[in-house]
Amino acid sequence: MGSFRGHALPGTFFFITGIWWTVKCLLKYACKKHKRTSYLGSKALFQRIEILEGIILVCMALTGMLGEQFVLEGPHLALYDHKEGQWVQLLSWHHFTMYFFFGLLGVMNILCFTITSLPTSLTKLMLSNAFFVEVFVLYNHTHGREMLDIFVHQLLVLVAFVAGLVAFLELFIRTNVTVELLRTSFVLLQGSWFWQIGFVLYPPSGGPAWDAVDHGNIMFLTVCFCWHYALTFIIIGVIYALVTWLVKSRLQRFCPSEVGLLKNAEREQESEEEM
Amino acid sequence: MGSFRGHALPGTFFFITGIWWTVKCLLKYACKKHKRTSYLGSKALFQRIEILEGIILVCMALTGMLGEQFVLEGPHLALYDHKEGQWVQLLSWHHFTMYFFFGLLGVMNILCFTITSLPTSLTKLMLSNAFFVEVFVLYNHTHGREMLDIFVHQLLVLVAFVAGLVAFLELFIRTNVTVELLRTSFVLLQGSWFWQIGFVLYPPSGGPAWDAVDHGNIMFLTVCFCWHYALTFIIIGVIYALVTWLVKSRLQRFCPSEVGLLKNAEREQESEEEM
Amino acid sequence: MGSFRGHALPGTFFFITGIWWTVKCLLKYACKKHKRTSYLGSKALFQRIEILEGIILVCMALTGMLGEQFVLEGPHLALYDHKEGQWVQLLSWHHFTMYFFFGLLGVMNILCFTITSLPTSLTKLMLSNAFFVEVFVLYNHTHGREMLDIFVHQLLVLVAFVAGLVAFLELFIRTNVTVELLRTSFVLLQGSWFWQIGFVLYPPSGGPAWDAVDHGNIMFLTVCFCWHYALTFIIIGVIYALVTWLVKSRLQRFCPSEVGLLKNAEREQESEEEM
Amino acid sequence: MGSFRGHALPGTFFFITGIWWTVKCLLKYACKKHKRTSYLGSKALFQRIEILEGIILVCMALTGMLGEQFVLEGPHLALYDHKEGQWVQLLSWHHFTMYFFFGLLGVMNILCFTITSLPTSLTKLMLSNAFFVEVFVLYNHTHGREMLDIFVHQLLVLVAFVAGLVAFLELFIRTNVTVELLRTSFVLLQGSWFWQIGFVLYPPSGGPAWDAVDHGNIMFLTVCFCWHYALTFIIIGVIYALVTWLVKSRLQRFCPSEVGLLKNAEREQESEEEM
């Protein structure tokens, strides 16, 4: 993990997951708005998509877990070195644990949409658990490092915490597109921030890392973090435009007449629900 | 920003916005209480007002952003000085970022009330985001300054945090006049506190700033902050009286008879809803 | 305030208020359970009681405010001593401000139950505001004091904070007897803890104060705080028994027959609502 | 308490309670899903079980309280040693207080399910109070100890805090199997973590305690805590499988025909409620 690649990998995972969740959430929202009649038909489809998502999540987590264990200087599943009387590569075990809980989320996704008697809110619970475990491990992760290193990891802790908090809140409230988008925005932010950490601590150009004790760097990374966050909203906006255009264009090809009539009535109803 | 004017400008912006939101919220409440029948008619009006509000918010944010960049000693859009190997005017970039997120709120206001398929709760989300970004930036803003300077900015962080929290809660609960007034009270408090900071750190009279290491000043500013807060309630009370009087007097001129009959029945219904 | 009497006064105020709120809350609950039919009749009565409560609150707050200002060594409304160039008696002004916000709560109580167009949830808001202002002022109150002094005040801050939090939550949820009792238990705890502070810091027997740097005292006050809390539950339990007995005995005298029939049906309905 | 046995005892109590609550919660869930018709019949049964649970809780708490007081080096109910002018065995009084509040929970359980006019949500309140008191006492418990000792107790504080928070949230929301399982998972985690503390600080093998100033141990205990948490989910999963199998097999023996017909209809309804 202590390398550019070790931060780019989870960054990419989070970014892809974030984009996918945004697409899924907006697709559901647009479908619900434009063709409520055939919504039940697509429910089975969404169920299969959820199972596929679970499988992909498990694969991602396994990649990360195996990568942490069996890279050249990894712990190779050894936990305690009895000869030297010390723990082996605990930082790798930290990362392993974090990947493991995201793997659990994937497993729960598969189980919940396969076994119908399980409540689907368990996936939300595991998601929030995975984020909170990430927060907990990262919080105890940077002991004895430089100020800049601690700062960028603290921001990661912050974004994982709010993501976990929003996922936890979703347990209690009915599905709400705004809250779901808020969560995906934090997932995207986490992905792009992992890349930023890689660039700051292990510049891929081979140049020296940023000055770890210059307070100017921390001042800059503060605003940089906000700009990353603004970027996630632009990404979500673009996805929204694409998804809306796609759903509209496909609908108008197949069933232009009835939809036009339904749309206005539904819109009003929706907007009242939003109030 | 490091001047009286730099604190009076955002203070005035927040104060005007706070007063306007209080008026809007109480007008809606009074209209709902007194003439439910013609309420739907004024809905289109409120929608146009929201768009106008968005435009004004964008203008305010642009004023602030351009002001921060192009004042005499501003960064003029330069971020990194390669010659000296250091960041350019990061404090101005901090302020720039905060104004930017309030600008985003204005843009979202315009979009949500123009494109009907967007849920209006997105404006609440952007509002809470703007406050939380302000909290985040201000929290990392006062490194290495004097005790008094840090204290007055911490109070600003506190009030922006609770304002953001209330706006975030409004995402989840149905519209409630009490909670909306709570939010506007924090916006007003933020406005008046910006002025107070200006007076404390950069006295416009040209006299010396307050003694930054005297703990008596902090003890006084603690109660002063509470008195500012009490003041916002008096302002809201005065606005409430004015708005109620206005709505009542205009109603009695146009349609005195039916309203009188309706009022009692509605009041009881309302009071039960409040229970 | 820096005396036994200065802590016994607010302690007594909080204790009386706590007992009164417990009685009121349990009386409402018992009335609702046993004679739903005549509940509307007693609504007007409860309204008059609320106004009376507001007046008493205002009187209590005025007593405290005037006491703080016009005791022998008080500030006598002077805020800044221009001769000596320092603030006058800021601690008294702190207490003054706390009393002032509880006075505002009384004023709001009177206004809300006199002017029917005001939502009654405003009283809850002012209550939570009064507690939070108390937290804020007390938090900035004990600068430079001894460890023990800070600790006992921190516990006061803690209990005021949770009381404020519960009052704030009551804004959002429908009336719930359990949550109301939780709030009153914190008010009672605050009252008895004020007395405890008086005994610890200014022993009325005239003996020396407790050793302020002995950590054993802090360890003891930790469990002592918990026992105070357990005591509040015993007080609430006794009040519950008395109120239930009172309501039952008075009911059985006047209308024993119908109530007996209604009771069972209502109880089941209630218990289902509780589920 | 300062021994392996002193940590194994509460650990066993929490673990048994956690397993029992999981079984109860899943049994209720499975019964509700599979045989709604005879649900009301089992309601009286569940009520008797609750009373029994209360009695067992009281017994557990009494065991702990008496054990703390009357072990060889315990305080034997003495609080202050007037000869030496110091408190007697305050740590034992801390543990005593924590057990006492769990005993109160048992008493409230008995009262709430015996006296029908008491709202059952009071047991939830006492549960959350018991956890928060535990948090409060443990937080002020480890003054002046070694880093490792403080760390393992802080994790206990963390898990007790989230358990209390979830129990507190259950006051406000309708019964939800996911949230109940979350709570029981924290109770189980607390139980197994008490055992872990015993092994770390007082190895039962008689060997030396872990190195209290080695930061590697803290890094390991961080991931170890997460693995304990993962373990609780495996335990809950196994209990879920067993309970579901039990309810299904017993049902199919007695009334296979109607249940089969009802099941599908109910499942759909349930899954819609979950959405």
Side-chain angles (χ1 to χ4, degrees):
Chain A
M1 188 79 159
S3 63
F4 181 75
R5 214 177 294 161
H7 285 89
L9 188 75
T12 313
F13 283 169
F14 275 114
F15 206 79
I16 292 172
T17 313
I19 285 186
W20 162 237
W21 281 345
T22 310
V23 169
K24 190 176 71 175
C25 156
L26 288 172
L27 212 60
K28 265 187 185 169
Y29 180 72
C31 284
K32 210 171 153 193
K33 269 217 133 69
H34 289 285
K35 46 163 185 172
R36 184 166 290 177
T37 47
S38 64
Y39 183 57
L40 275 167
S42 61
K43 204 176 167 179
L45 182 71
F46 273 118
Q47 207 158 342
R48 249 172 264 164
I49 288 173
E50 294 283 350
I51 293 169
L52 188 72
E53 191 188 305
I55 293 166
I56 291 168
L57 270 172
V58 171
C59 291
M60 277 180 175
L62 276 178
T63 312
M65 282 156 81
L66 296 176
E68 284 297 334
Q69 289 291 337
F70 298 108
V71 287
L72 211 65
E73 69 277 21
H76 295 271
L77 294 178
L79 186 57
Y80 193 77
D81 189 342
H82 287 279
K83 270 187 229 158
E84 306 218 0
Q86 64 181 21
W87 303 100
V88 180
Q89 294 284 351
L90 278 173
L91 293 185
S92 292
W93 280 102
H94 277 196
H95 305 141
F96 176 87
T97 306
M98 288 188 260
Y99 281 119
F100 177 70
F101 270 82
F102 280 98
L104 270 190
L105 165 65
V107 171
M108 192 53 93
N109 240 14
I110 298 170
L111 285 178
C112 277
F113 288 92
T114 316
I115 305 168
T116 48
S117 74
L118 281 171
T120 52
S121 55
L122 279 175
T123 60
K124 282 275 150 60
L125 180 67
M126 289 312 292
L127 178 61
S128 112
N129 270 341
F131 280 126
F132 283 136
V133 164
E134 193 194 336
V135 167
F136 175 72
V137 174
L138 278 178
Y139 184 81
N140 291 294
H141 192 62
T142 52
H143 178 82
R145 299 205 199 163
E146 300 276 11
M147 186 177 68
L148 189 75
D149 198 342
I150 290 174
F151 183 73
V152 290
H153 280 92
Q154 270 177 344
L155 295 191
L156 208 58
V157 166
L158 178 71
V159 64
F161 181 75
V162 285
L165 205 69
V166 172
F168 186 70
L169 282 174
E170 281 183 85
L171 270 181
F172 300 104
I173 51 161
R174 62 199 184 90
T175 320
N176 184 329
V177 70
T178 312
V179 180
E180 275 186 85
L181 288 182
L182 182 64
R183 176 166 49 81
T184 63
S185 78
F186 289 131
V187 177
L188 284 168
L189 176 57
Q190 220 176 327
S192 73
W193 193 250
F194 259 113
W195 277 85
Q196 181 75 45
I197 292 180
F199 277 105
V200 169
L201 299 183
Y202 313 97
S205 62
W210 293 21
D211 184 0
V213 290
D214 178 13
H215 202 266
N217 283 334
I218 284 184
M219 297 291 253
F220 169 69
L221 285 169
T222 300
V223 281
C224 184
F225 187 71
C226 297
W227 298 342
H228 276 260
Y229 191 43
L231 190 78
T232 66
F233 279 101
I234 292 166
I235 293 171
I236 290 175
V238 170
I239 294 175
Y240 177 81
L242 284 175
V243 166
T244 311
W245 171 81
L246 196 86
V247 169
K248 257 190 192 161
S249 68
R250 280 207 50 183
L251 268 175
Q252 279 171 350
R253 213 183 309 152
F254 292 113
C255 45
S257 59
E258 13 167 24
V259 172
L261 294 168
L262 280 166
K263 237 164 32 186
N264 289 323
E266 273 166 15
R267 263 183 194 165
E268 274 173 26
Q269 200 181 334
E270 288 291 318
S271 65
E272 273 169 31
E273 277 172 17
E274 293 294 336
M275 290 296 275
Chain B
M1 187 80 160
S3 63
F4 180 76
R5 214 177 293 161
H7 285 89
L9 188 75
T12 313
F13 283 169
F14 275 115
F15 206 79
I16 292 172
T17 313
I19 285 186
W20 161 237
W21 282 345
T22 310
V23 169
K24 191 177 70 175
C25 155
L26 287 172
L27 212 60
K28 265 187 185 170
Y29 180 72
C31 285
K32 209 171 153 193
K33 268 218 135 65
H34 289 284
K35 47 163 186 173
R36 186 165 289 177
T37 48
S38 64
Y39 183 57
L40 276 167
S42 60
K43 202 176 167 180
L45 182 70
F46 274 119
Q47 208 157 339
R48 248 171 265 164
I49 287 173
E50 294 283 350
I51 293 169
L52 188 72
E53 191 189 305
I55 293 166
I56 292 167
L57 270 173
V58 170
C59 292
M60 278 180 175
L62 277 178
T63 313
M65 282 157 81
L66 295 176
E68 284 297 334
Q69 288 292 336
F70 298 108
V71 287
L72 211 65
E73 69 277 22
H76 295 269
L77 294 177
L79 186 57
Y80 193 77
D81 188 342
H82 287 279
K83 269 187 231 158
E84 306 218 0
Q86 65 182 19
W87 303 99
V88 180
Q89 295 283 351
L90 278 173
L91 293 185
S92 291
W93 280 102
H94 277 197
H95 305 139
F96 176 86
T97 306
M98 288 188 261
Y99 280 118
F100 177 70
F101 270 83
F102 280 98
L104 271 190
L105 166 65
V107 171
M108 191 54 92
N109 241 14
I110 299 169
L111 285 178
C112 277
F113 288 91
T114 316
I115 305 167
T116 50
S117 73
L118 281 171
T120 53
S121 55
L122 279 175
T123 59
K124 283 276 150 59
L125 180 67
M126 289 311 293
L127 177 61
S128 112
N129 271 341
F131 280 126
F132 283 136
V133 165
E134 192 193 337
V135 167
F136 175 72
V137 173
L138 278 178
Y139 184 81
N140 292 293
H141 191 63
T142 53
H143 178 83
R145 300 205 198 163
E146 299 277 9
M147 186 177 69
L148 189 76
D149 198 341
I150 291 174
F151 184 73
V152 290
H153 280 93
Q154 270 178 344
L155 295 191
L156 209 58
V157 166
L158 179 70
V159 64
F161 181 75
V162 286
L165 205 68
V166 172
F168 185 70
L169 281 174
E170 281 182 84
L171 270 181
F172 299 105
I173 51 162
R174 64 200 183 92
T175 319
N176 184 329
V177 70
T178 312
V179 180
E180 276 187 87
L181 287 182
L182 183 64
R183 176 165 48 82
T184 64
S185 79
F186 290 130
V187 177
L188 284 168
L189 176 57
Q190 222 175 327
S192 73
W193 195 250
F194 259 113
W195 277 85
Q196 181 74 45
I197 292 179
F199 277 104
V200 169
L201 300 182
Y202 313 96
S205 61
W210 294 22
D211 184 359
V213 290
D214 177 13
H215 202 266
N217 283 333
I218 284 184
M219 295 292 252
F220 169 69
L221 285 169
T222 300
V223 282
C224 184
F225 187 72
C226 297
W227 299 342
H228 275 260
Y229 191 44
L231 191 77
T232 65
F233 279 101
I234 292 165
I235 294 171
I236 291 174
V238 170
I239 294 175
Y240 177 81
L242 284 176
V243 166
T244 311
W245 171 80
L246 197 84
V247 170
K248 258 190 191 161
S249 68
R250 281 208 49 186
L251 269 175
Q252 280 169 348
R253 212 182 310 150
F254 292 115
C255 45
S257 60
E258 11 167 25
V259 173
L261 293 167
L262 279 166
K263 235 163 33 184
N264 289 323
E266 272 167 16
R267 263 182 194 167
E268 275 174 26
Q269 201 181 333
E270 287 291 317
S271 66
E272 273 170 32
E273 276 171 18
E274 292 293 336
M275 290 295 275
Chain C
M1 186 79 162
S3 63
F4 181 77
R5 214 177 294 161
H7 285 89
L9 188 75
T12 312
F13 283 169
F14 275 115
F15 206 79
I16 291 172
T17 314
I19 285 185
W20 161 237
W21 281 345
T22 311
V23 170
K24 191 177 69 177
C25 155
L26 288 172
L27 212 60
K28 264 188 186 169
Y29 180 72
C31 285
K32 208 172 154 193
K33 267 216 135 64
H34 290 283
K35 47 163 187 173
R36 185 166 290 178
T37 47
S38 64
Y39 183 57
L40 276 167
S42 60
K43 204 175 165 179
L45 181 71
F46 274 117
Q47 207 158 341
R48 249 172 263 163
I49 288 173
E50 294 283 350
I51 293 169
L52 188 72
E53 191 190 306
I55 292 166
I56 292 168
L57 271 172
V58 170
C59 292
M60 277 179 175
L62 277 178
T63 312
M65 282 157 80
L66 295 175
E68 284 297 334
Q69 289 292 335
F70 297 108
V71 287
L72 211 65
E73 69 276 23
H76 295 269
L77 294 177
L79 187 56
Y80 193 77
D81 188 342
H82 288 278
K83 270 188 230 156
E84 307 219 359
Q86 64 182 19
W87 303 99
V88 180
Q89 294 283 351
L90 278 174
L91 294 185
S92 291
W93 280 103
H94 277 196
H95 305 140
F96 176 86
T97 306
M98 289 188 260
Y99 281 118
F100 177 70
F101 271 83
F102 280 98
L104 270 190
L105 166 64
V107 171
M108 192 55 92
N109 240 13
I110 298 169
L111 285 178
C112 277
F113 289 91
T114 316
I115 305 168
T116 49
S117 73
L118 280 171
T120 53
S121 55
L122 279 175
T123 60
K124 283 275 150 58
L125 180 67
M126 289 313 291
L127 177 61
S128 111
N129 270 341
F131 279 126
F132 283 136
V133 165
E134 193 194 338
V135 167
F136 175 72
V137 173
L138 278 178
Y139 185 81
N140 292 294
H141 191 62
T142 53
H143 178 83
R145 300 204 198 164
E146 299 278 8
M147 186 177 68
L148 189 76
D149 198 341
I150 291 175
F151 184 74
V152 291
H153 280 92
Q154 270 177 344
L155 295 191
L156 209 58
V157 166
L158 178 70
V159 64
F161 181 75
V162 286
L165 204 68
V166 172
F168 186 69
L169 281 174
E170 282 183 85
L171 270 181
F172 299 105
I173 51 161
R174 63 200 183 92
T175 319
N176 184 330
V177 71
T178 312
V179 181
E180 274 186 88
L181 288 182
L182 183 64
R183 176 166 48 83
T184 63
S185 78
F186 290 131
V187 177
L188 284 168
L189 176 58
Q190 222 176 326
S192 73
W193 195 248
F194 259 114
W195 277 84
Q196 181 74 45
I197 293 180
F199 277 104
V200 169
L201 300 181
Y202 313 96
S205 62
W210 294 21
D211 185 359
V213 290
D214 177 13
H215 202 266
N217 283 333
I218 283 184
M219 295 292 252
F220 169 69
L221 285 169
T222 300
V223 282
C224 185
F225 187 71
C226 297
W227 299 342
H228 276 261
Y229 191 43
L231 192 77
T232 64
F233 279 102
I234 293 165
I235 293 170
I236 291 175
V238 170
I239 294 174
Y240 177 81
L242 285 175
V243 165
T244 311
W245 171 79
L246 197 86
V247 169
K248 256 191 194 164
S249 69
R250 281 208 49 185
L251 268 175
Q252 279 170 348
R253 213 181 310 152
F254 292 114
C255 45
S257 59
E258 12 166 24
V259 173
L261 294 167
L262 278 166
K263 236 164 31 186
N264 289 323
E266 272 168 16
R267 262 184 196 165
E268 275 172 27
Q269 201 181 333
E270 287 291 317
S271 64
E272 274 169 33
E273 276 172 19
E274 293 292 337
M275 292 294 275
Chain D
M1 187 79 161
S3 63
F4 180 76
R5 214 177 294 162
H7 285 89
L9 188 75
T12 312
F13 283 169
F14 275 115
F15 206 78
I16 292 172
T17 314
I19 285 187
W20 161 237
W21 281 346
T22 311
V23 169
K24 191 177 71 176
C25 155
L26 287 172
L27 212 60
K28 265 187 185 168
Y29 181 70
C31 285
K32 210 172 153 193
K33 269 217 133 65
H34 289 284
K35 47 164 185 172
R36 184 166 291 177
T37 47
S38 64
Y39 184 58
L40 275 169
S42 61
K43 203 175 167 181
L45 181 71
F46 274 118
Q47 208 157 342
R48 250 172 263 162
I49 287 174
E50 294 283 351
I51 293 169
L52 188 72
E53 192 189 304
I55 293 167
I56 292 168
L57 270 172
V58 170
C59 291
M60 278 181 174
L62 276 179
T63 313
M65 282 157 80
L66 296 176
E68 284 297 333
Q69 289 291 337
F70 298 108
V71 287
L72 210 66
E73 68 277 20
H76 295 269
L77 294 177
L79 186 57
Y80 193 77
D81 188 343
H82 286 280
K83 271 188 229 156
E84 307 218 359
Q86 64 181 19
W87 304 100
V88 180
Q89 294 284 351
L90 278 173
L91 293 186
S92 291
W93 279 103
H94 277 197
H95 305 141
F96 176 86
T97 306
M98 289 188 259
Y99 280 119
F100 177 70
F101 271 83
F102 281 98
L104 271 190
L105 166 64
V107 171
M108 192 54 93
N109 241 13
I110 298 169
L111 286 178
C112 277
F113 289 92
T114 316
I115 305 167
T116 50
S117 74
L118 280 171
T120 53
S121 56
L122 278 175
T123 61
K124 282 277 150 56
L125 180 67
M126 289 311 293
L127 177 61
S128 111
N129 270 342
F131 280 126
F132 283 136
V133 165
E134 193 194 337
V135 167
F136 175 71
V137 173
L138 279 177
Y139 184 80
N140 292 295
H141 191 63
T142 54
H143 178 82
R145 299 204 199 165
E146 300 277 9
M147 186 178 69
L148 189 75
D149 199 341
I150 291 174
F151 184 72
V152 290
H153 280 93
Q154 270 177 344
L155 295 191
L156 209 58
V157 166
L158 178 70
V159 63
F161 181 75
V162 286
L165 205 68
V166 172
F168 186 69
L169 282 175
E170 282 183 84
L171 271 180
F172 300 104
I173 52 161
R174 64 199 182 93
T175 319
N176 184 329
V177 70
T178 312
V179 181
E180 275 188 87
L181 288 182
L182 183 64
R183 175 165 48 81
T184 64
S185 78
F186 289 130
V187 177
L188 284 168
L189 176 58
Q190 222 176 326
S192 73
W193 194 248
F194 258 114
W195 277 85
Q196 181 74 46
I197 292 180
F199 278 105
V200 169
L201 299 182
Y202 313 96
S205 62
W210 294 22
D211 185 0
V213 290
D214 178 13
H215 202 266
N217 282 333
I218 284 184
M219 296 291 252
F220 169 69
L221 284 169
T222 300
V223 281
C224 184
F225 187 71
C226 297
W227 299 342
H228 276 262
Y229 191 43
L231 191 77
T232 65
F233 279 102
I234 292 167
I235 293 170
I236 290 175
V238 170
I239 294 174
Y240 177 80
L242 283 176
V243 165
T244 311
W245 171 80
L246 198 85
V247 169
K248 257 190 192 162
S249 68
R250 280 206 52 183
L251 268 175
Q252 279 169 350
R253 212 182 311 153
F254 292 113
C255 46
S257 59
E258 13 167 23
V259 172
L261 293 167
L262 279 166
K263 235 164 32 186
N264 290 323
E266 273 167 16
R267 264 185 194 163
E268 275 172 26
Q269 200 180 334
E270 289 290 317
S271 64
E272 271 170 32
E273 277 172 16
E274 293 293 336
M275 291 294 276

